[in-house]
Amino acid sequence: MQEILFCKAACYTLILSSVICGIIRWFHMCKPYNLNPSYFYPSRKFVTVAFLAAIFLVPYLFHSESNDTWLYTKTYFLFYFPVFGTVSFRSFFFGVTSKWVRNYLLLLIVPIPLFIYLFVLACIGGNYLEIYGFWDDIFYFILSVILAVKLLTTTMWLNNKIMDFVRGEYSNENDFPLGFAKFVVFIPFAVWILSLVVFFVDSRIFNACFFLFIMILQLVITCIILHPQRQECEVMEKNIEKNAIEANNVTVRNNPIPVAVKDNIEQQIRDVVEDEQLYLNPKFNKTVLAERLATNRTYLSVVFRERFGSFYSYVNTLRILYAIKYLEQHPKATQVEVAMNSGFGTTKTYNKVKKLYEAGELK
């Protein structure tokens, strides 16, 4: 009896904390970052839904002794973490493209109906699935591994991006949250491995302890992500109380930037960056541009987000277009020559950016 109460209490605690984290994640956005939530909190909507998804564990509170409900409960996180980890990484660090969404939805054609089927049986609270026994475990394990392959691929992409940034090959990507990426890169996959252990151990007590571990983990992550994990925040925090004043003497902290000011900054950017070809300098960055235009970096960042997508995509698109023309004019040029003459620090960076450009993912 005490074992059942402990398991139910752990499940209830996880559900309650998840709902609270979901509500906090949705409504709480630090100022002044709430003025541009799509940039500073790109995964806010998805993470909110991911937290609230713990509500689907409710059947375990009412039918904890049902074999069907128990199978559904211990299977839940086998599907949850590959989906949550992959989508959250893609949306926060890479941006979710329509092509990627289509590919991932195709991958979920089988798991989603199966999840709904198990959820219905868990709500009924019977023992209909007893006849399958061991084969059920193997089937769910294989499906989970298929989803986890996508998670592992995304994890390795992110880890490679971290390594590139550390080595300086993404030196122009000022908004990449390196510290946060290092902290979270392996968490989803590691927790998925742990969920496999819980699944095969088949212990309700072990599962309850796993629930409590997940609760603590999500509380820690919630506290971290409430503050935007962007390097641009450091600049805003330094300038927000000081000299964030532009042409018409309005402050970024209290008022949005007037359209006329944005238009003026946009034109200055195009005149300086494109006409003077500043992008051909591998060390060209937003600080250099801000000094060249004698404007505030915060204003500059806002204009880039709204008019160009990002500094990184704008500058590297210009470099790729220049590289294409250069190659047309010098058909015998090596990759090293093309990269060096087009503003890329290394051929590896050139190849990475070229692939992103050709795939329509240079954002």
Side-chain angles (χ1 to χ4, degrees), residues 87 91 141 274 333 340 345:
V87 179
S91 60
F141 168 72
E274 297 178 27
M340 294 300 104

Side-chain angles (χ1 to χ4, degrees), residues 26 101 107 146 162 198 268 270 291 305 323 331 359 362:
W26 179 257
V101 171
L107 193 62
I146 293 173
I162 292 171
V198 173
Q268 289 183 55
R270 294 189 185 278
E291 293 175 355
R305 288 193 299 272
L362 187 55

Side-chain angles (χ1 to χ4, degrees), residues 253-271:
R253 181 183 59 180
N254 297 322
N255 301 285
I257 304 175
V259 175
V261 174
K262 293 178 184 177
D263 291 341
N264 182 47
I265 295 176
E266 179 185 357
Q267 190 57 52
Q268 289 183 55
I269 291 171
R270 294 189 185 278
D271 291 342

Side-chain angles (χ1 to χ4, degrees), residues 57-78:
L57 290 170
V58 164
Y60 188 65
L61 297 177
F62 299 97
H63 306 292
S64 59
E65 296 181 0
S66 161
N67 289 330
D68 291 353
T69 307
W70 169 238
L71 177 63
Y72 164 78
T73 303
K74 70 175 186 175
T75 304
Y76 177 83
F77 283 115
L78 286 184

Side-chain angles (χ1 to χ4, degrees), residues 261-288:
V261 174
K262 293 178 184 177
D263 291 341
N264 182 47
I265 295 176
E266 179 185 357
Q267 190 57 52
Q268 289 183 55
I269 291 171
R270 294 189 185 278
D271 291 342
V272 172
V273 178
E274 297 178 27
D275 293 349
E276 299 183 19
Q277 296 184 319
L278 295 182
Y279 57 88
L280 295 181
N281 179 358
K283 296 182 179 180
F284 177 59
N285 55 41
K286 271 193 283 191
T287 301
V288 173

